[in-house]
C-alpha cells in the first residue's frame, strides 16, 4: 500500500472531516484514512431522521481513533430548508421518485463543510461508491460551498469486499458492529427509504417483502379507509387533522399514518447521472401523501397558466436536485420562481388512504379559484353562455383556415 503523507512539514497532521454513519464502511475508514493518508480524522454523524443506532456511535468513533467526533441533529433544518422547498416544487425525479436521498445530501454536505471550516480541516471524506449519484452530490456540493476543499472517497479507492473490511477491522482492532448481512443497500431519512442491490437488481422480479422496511403490505392494511386533513400555509404544511405541529412532527405523523395504510411504495428503473439504469425501490410514505395533497391544493389555488408553466419548472428542478446541483444558480433561480407561486397556496386538503392508495377527496382555501357559480350545471349558473360561441369561433379559426388552405 502506498503511504501518502498529508501531514505538514513539522509533522503536525492535517485534519479530515469524515461523513460517518457508524456502519462498517465508515468505521473502517477512520483507521484507513489515518494509515493511508496520515490524517487526523474528525468523524461527523448527521441525523436526518435515519433510525437510531444500537450503540453510541460517537463514542465508538473516538475509541476507533477519531480525534474528535460530533453528532449533529439536523432534522429541523432538513425539513425547513430542504424538504419544504422541494415539496413546494412537487419534486419527483422522472415523475416517480420524491428525491428522498438526493434532498438530504446537500444538507449533509453543508454540515461537513461547516465543521471542516470550524476545525481548519482541508479535507472531507465520504463513504460513497464510484457507481452512484451520491458521490457526485457530495463532491459537487462540497466544492460549491468551499472551492478549496479536497475530497477523499475511501470507498472509491479501496478494493475491499465486505469480508475483507471485516478482516481489516479485526487486524487493526477497529471496533465494529457486524450486523447480519443485509442483501440490500438501504438509505433512510425522514423523507423516505431507498433500497437497491440483491434480487432487486433483476428488473423483472417483483420486490420481495423483505425489501420493504417501513410500510405495511397493502393487503394487510386496515380494511377501513383512513382520512387525513392537512393544512398548508403558503405551500408549507402546518397542521395535521386540525392539530398545528412543527415540520418534523408533521412528517413523522404522516409517515406513521401512511405506513400503516401501505401507502408510499415505489418500484422504479431510474437513470443515474453516471449513465447507468438502475432498479430501485423506495418507500416515501409522508412524501407521497404530502406531494399529492400539495398538488391538490395547487389545482385549487393556482391559475391554469401558472400550473402548466410550473410543471415544466418542476421537472427541470427535480433533475437538478437529482444531479447534485442543489447549490447552484439555476436551482436557486427556479426556487425563487417556485416560492413566488406559493403566495396563495393556503388551505386544507382532505385525503383518503386505503390499502396502498391515497386520493384527494376534498380541498378548501380562502384563496380558492374554484367558483361554483361558474362551474355549476344546476340552478344559479353565472357563466355567460353566449360568450362561448364567439370564443370558440376565434379559438378554432387557425384550424379552420389551415384546413381550407390544405384542401386546395
Ligand atoms: N438512487 C437514489 C438516488 O440516487 C438512492 C440511492 C440511495 N443509496 C442507497 N444505498 N440505497 O437518490
Amino acid at each position: 500500500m502506498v503511504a501518502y503523507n498529508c501531514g505538514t512539514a513539522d509533522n503536525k497532521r492535517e485534519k479530515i472531516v469524515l461523513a460517518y454513519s457508524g456502519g462498517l464502511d465508515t468505521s473502517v475508514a477512520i483507521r484507513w484514512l489515518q494509515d493511508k493518508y496520515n490524517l487526523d480524522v474528525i468523524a461527523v454523524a448527521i441525523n436526518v431522521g435515519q433510525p437510531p443506532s444500537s450503540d453510541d456511535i460517537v463514542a465508538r468513533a473516538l475509541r476507533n481513533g477519531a480525534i474528535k467526533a460530533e453528532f449533529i441533529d439536523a432534522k429541523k433544518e432538513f425539513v425547513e430548508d430542504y424538504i419544504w422547498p422541494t415539496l413546494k416544487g412537487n419534486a419527483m425525479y422522472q415523475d416517480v421518485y420524491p428525491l428522498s436521498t438526493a434532498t438530504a445530501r446537500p444538507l449533509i454536505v453543508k454540515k461537513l463543510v461547516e465543521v471542516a471550516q470550524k476545525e481548519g480541516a482541508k479535507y472531507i471524506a465520504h463513504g460513497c461508491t464510484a457507481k452512484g449519484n451520491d458521490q457526485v452530490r457530495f463532491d459537487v456540493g462540497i466544492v460549491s460551498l468551499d472551492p478549496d476543499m479536497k475530497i477523499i472517497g475511501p470507498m472509491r479507492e479501496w478494493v475491499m469486499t465486505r469480508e475483507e473490511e471485516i478482516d481489516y477491522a479485526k487486524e487493526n482492532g477497529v471496533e465494529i458492529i457486524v450486523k447480519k448481512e443485509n442483501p440490500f443497500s438501504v438509505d433512510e431519512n425522514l423523507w423516505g427509504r431507498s433500497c437497491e442491490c440483491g434480487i432487486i437488481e433483476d428488473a423483472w422480479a417483483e420486490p420481495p417483502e423483505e425489501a420493504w422496511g417501513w410500510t405495511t403490505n397493502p393487503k394487510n392494511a386496515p380494511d377501513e379507509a383512513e382520512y387525513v386533513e392537512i393544512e398548508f400555509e403558503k405551500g408549507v404544511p402546518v397542521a395535521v387533522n386540525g392539530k398545528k405541529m412543527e415540520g418534523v412532527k408533521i412528517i413523522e405523523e404522516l409517515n406513521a399514518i401512511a405506513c400503516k395504510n401501505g401507502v408510499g411504495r415505489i418500484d422504479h428503473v431510474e437513470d443515474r447521472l453516471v449513465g447507468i439504469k438502475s432498479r430501485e425501490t423506495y418507500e416515501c410514505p409522508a412524501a407521497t401523501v404530502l406531494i399529492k395533497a400539495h398538488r391538490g391544493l395547487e389545482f385549487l389555488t393556482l391559475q391554469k397558466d401558472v400550473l402548466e408553466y410550473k410543471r415544466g419548472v418542476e421537472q427541470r428542478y427535480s433533475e437538478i436536485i437529482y444531479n447534485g446541483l442543489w447549490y447552484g444558480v439555476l436551482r436557486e433561480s427556479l426556487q425563487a420562481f417556485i416560492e413566488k407561486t406559493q403566495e396563495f397556496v393556503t388551505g386544507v386538503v382532505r385525503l383518503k388512504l386505503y390499502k396502498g392508495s391515497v386520493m384527494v377527496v376534498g380541498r378548501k382555501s380562502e384563496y380558492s379559484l374554484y367558483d361554483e357559480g361558474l362551474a355549476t350545471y344546476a340552478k344559479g349558473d353565472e357563466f355567460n353562455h353566449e360568450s362561448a360561441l364567439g370564443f370558440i369561433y376565434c379559438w378554432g379559426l387557425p384550424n379552420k383556415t389551415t384546413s381550407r388552405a390544405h384542401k386546395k
Side-chain angles (χ1 to χ4, degrees):
M1 191 201 284
V2 198
Y4 294 83
N5 194 333
C6 298
T8 50
D10 62 5
N11 230 11
K12 202 170 156 292
R13 296 214 287 190
E14 294 274 15
K15 295 178 202 157
I16 186 163
V17 170
L18 167 69
Y20 167 75
S21 68
L24 176 62
D25 296 338
T26 55
S27 295
V28 168
I30 294 177
R31 181 60 48 88
W32 188 86
L33 287 164
Q34 294 170 342
D35 286 353
K36 179 161 184 195
Y37 286 100
N38 191 30
L39 289 163
D40 277 339
V41 179
I42 299 168
V44 179
I46 297 151
N47 181 8
V48 282
Q50 57 275 57
S53 175
S54 59
D55 71 330
D56 181 347
I57 62 170
V58 167
R60 183 149 50 84
L62 293 171
R63 289 199 295 276
N64 281 337
I67 59 152
K68 227 179 197 182
E70 250 189 79
F71 182 87
I72 301 173
D73 184 350
K75 294 204 295 291
K76 188 168 187 297
E77 197 173 339
F78 182 35
V79 173
E80 287 169 8
D81 298 347
Y82 296 82
I83 294 181
W84 288 166
T86 61
L87 175 62
K88 291 177 191 171
N90 299 317
M92 291 247 221
Y93 181 60
Q94 300 186 318
D95 296 328
V96 174
Y97 159 45
L99 293 163
S100 41
T101 294
T103 306
R105 297 315 188 193
L107 168 62
I108 293 170
V109 162
K110 180 165 168 257
K111 294 289 155 201
L112 295 172
V113 171
E114 278 171 9
V115 174
Q117 289 173 342
K118 185 180 78 189
E119 299 288 345
K122 296 197 181 86
Y123 299 84
I124 290 177
H126 59 71
C128 304
T129 67
K131 285 178 82 171
N133 299 308
D134 285 328
Q135 53 166 347
V136 183
R137 297 171 188 147
F138 273 93
D139 290 17
V140 175
I142 290 166
V143 299
S144 304
L145 296 179
D146 187 337
D148 297 320
M149 200 58 73
K150 293 182 195 67
I151 301 153
I152 298 178
M155 303 294 291
R156 284 189 294 215
E157 288 185 29
W158 73 38
V159 277
M160 286 189 268
T161 63
R162 185 185 143 88
E163 277 58 48
E164 286 163 346
E165 280 181 48
I166 295 171
D167 289 344
Y168 179 95
K170 275 193 197 133
E171 280 160 28
N172 292 276
V174 178
E175 185 189 334
I176 48 171
I177 295 189
V178 185
K179 293 198 213 103
K180 195 172 114 263
E181 184 155 18
N182 180 351
F184 307 110
S185 164
V186 172
D187 177 66
E188 294 169 287
N189 65 48
L190 278 172
W191 206 225
R193 176 181 188 272
S194 315
C195 180
E196 56 189 345
C197 305
I199 180 69
I200 294 176
E201 287 177 359
D202 177 351
W204 177 249
E206 179 174 349
E209 203 44 40
E210 314 83 77
W212 307 110
W214 285 10
T215 47
T216 302
N217 186 325
K219 83 168 191 263
N220 302 325
D223 293 324
E224 285 286 300
E226 180 163 357
Y227 290 85
V228 189
E229 283 187 16
I230 302 172
E231 185 183 339
F232 289 84
E233 260 172 44
K234 297 183 195 287
V236 173
V238 292
V240 174
N241 291 329
K243 265 218 324 264
K244 294 265 183 211
M245 292 174 204
E246 56 117 9
V248 174
K249 190 83 198 48
I250 287 182
I251 294 177
E252 286 171 350
E253 178 92 3
L254 291 173
N255 268 334
I257 294 173
C259 277
K260 184 173 85 183
N261 288 285
V263 167
R265 292 187 173 192
I266 296 160
D267 177 342
H268 187 35
V269 173
E270 83 189 27
D271 284 280
R272 287 192 190 160
L273 179 58
V274 293
I276 303 169
K277 273 196 191 290
S278 94
R279 200 287 186 88
E280 316 206 8
T281 61
Y282 298 99
E283 286 164 278
C284 301
T288 301
V289 171
L290 280 169
I291 293 171
K292 220 2 139 356
H294 180 257
R295 289 198 76 203
L297 189 58
E298 286 191 332
F299 284 129
L300 188 74
T301 54
L302 295 187
Q303 228 176 279
K304 182 186 175 195
D305 57 354
V306 177
L307 274 175
E308 286 172 358
Y309 193 82
K310 184 167 184 277
R311 198 73 191 132
V313 170
E314 287 170 2
Q315 275 176 2
R316 189 79 181 90
Y317 172 78
S318 303
E319 286 159 17
I320 291 166
I321 296 171
Y322 186 86
N323 293 340
L325 299 174
W326 178 274
Y327 299 114
V329 178
L330 185 54
R331 203 278 307 167
E332 288 162 5
S333 306
L334 297 184
Q335 192 75 58
F337 166 81
I338 290 167
E339 294 297 326
K340 176 68 186 167
T341 62
Q342 300 300 293
E343 235 174 317
F344 299 101
V345 184
T346 293
V348 183
V349 180
R350 189 163 78 244
L351 303 112
K352 180 178 180 174
L353 287 73
Y354 179 65
K355 288 190 182 291
S357 79
V358 57
M359 191 170 151
V360 174
V361 293
R363 63 295 265 165
K364 62 180 180 188
S365 165
E366 55 187 304
Y367 306 113
S368 172
L369 305 180
Y370 176 77
D371 184 333
E372 232 178 305
L374 288 175
T376 187
Y377 280 97
K379 245 197 158 91
D381 183 4
E382 290 159 18
F383 184 71
N384 178 347
H385 287 234
E386 282 133 63
S387 64
L389 287 176
F391 164 71
I392 294 165
Y393 171 77
C394 297
W395 179 248
L397 198 50
N399 276 28
K400 193 169 171 181
T401 310
T402 305
S403 171
R404 281 221 175 92
H406 289 183
K407 278 197 182 102
K408 270 188 201 141

